[in-house]
Structure formats: C-alpha cells, structure tokens
Amino acid sequence: MDSDGNPIDVGRTTRLIPRKLRRALAARDCGCAFPGCGRPAAWTEGHHIIHWSNGGPTNLSNLVLLCRFHHTTIHRGDWTVHISKDDGHPWFTPPAWIDPQRKPLPAHNRRNQLPFAA
C-alpha cells in the first residue's frame, strides 16, 4: 500500500504495472537498473523477474526497470537479475563468459556498492 492506502502490490491480478507501482519502481531504480546503463525511467520497461506467465507476481520485489536493449538482454538468458533480500535493490549476475566467477553486480544507481554473494 502507498501512504494513502492505495494498493501498489497487485500480485497476480494483472501483468500490467499500475501507475503507482511504476512510480515506486522509478524511485527505487532511477531508470534502467542494468549496470552501466542508467537510461531515464521514461525510456524503460518493467520486467518481471519471475515471468508473469510462470506465476510471478506484479509487485516491487519481482520487478525491475530496464531499457529495451537490456530487457532483451535479460530475456535472452545470458544475464540474470534478482532483488536482494539485504538491500531491496536489483543485482545482476553476468554470464560465465564475462565473469567466470559470476559475481553479482549492483544496479546502475547503486554502482558504489560492493558485489556480494547473494
């Protein structure tokens, strides 16, 4: 719920991201969250980390903002993304051909954070 008591976690009721949830995503991710990108929020799409068609909910802990290029990159399966239970922000795991150790990288707006094993 937001400060006015309006629902922003819509669960499985809809795949589409309501305006208030989109605003919460923009506040958290500050645009494309992919490491090194940072395109403005207006240029991004909401991505379900666990795909809606596979039972993923439409809520803040299952969504990340990505520009079209990085949204496609994530869907190709080379990179993975998860929301950290420690800081509540997206972390991205590169494919082994980029980083053989596959150390998670923080979202673009959190680039000063140190990678940690999630």
Side-chain angles (χ1 to χ4, degrees), residues 2-38:
D2 67 10
S3 61
D4 297 323
N6 298 308
I8 59 173
D9 176 352
V10 295
R12 295 278 310 149
T13 58
T14 181
R15 180 183 65 82
L16 301 176
I17 301 168
R19 183 175 42 230
K20 291 187 181 207
L21 182 53
R22 170 78 185 195
R23 278 193 230 138
L25 270 171
R28 184 195 68 196
D29 294 350
C30 302
C32 181
F34 198 89
C37 185

Side-chain angles (χ1 to χ4, degrees), residues 7-77:
I8 59 173
D9 176 352
V10 295
R12 295 278 310 149
T13 58
T14 181
R15 180 183 65 82
L16 301 176
I17 301 168
R19 183 175 42 230
K20 291 187 181 207
L21 182 53
R22 170 78 185 195
R23 278 193 230 138
L25 270 171
R28 184 195 68 196
D29 294 350
C30 302
C32 181
F34 198 89
C37 185
R39 286 187 176 90
W43 299 2
T44 63
E45 304 166 345
H47 169 71
H48 284 81
I49 296 169
I50 299 171
H51 301 293
W52 195 84
S53 60
N54 293 335
T58 301
N59 62 30
L60 196 57
S61 63
N62 190 46
L63 295 167
V64 62
L65 289 181
L66 298 168
C67 67
R68 178 154 306 211
F69 177 80
H70 289 117
H71 199 170
T72 301
T73 299
I74 293 291
H75 274 282
R76 269 190 269 147

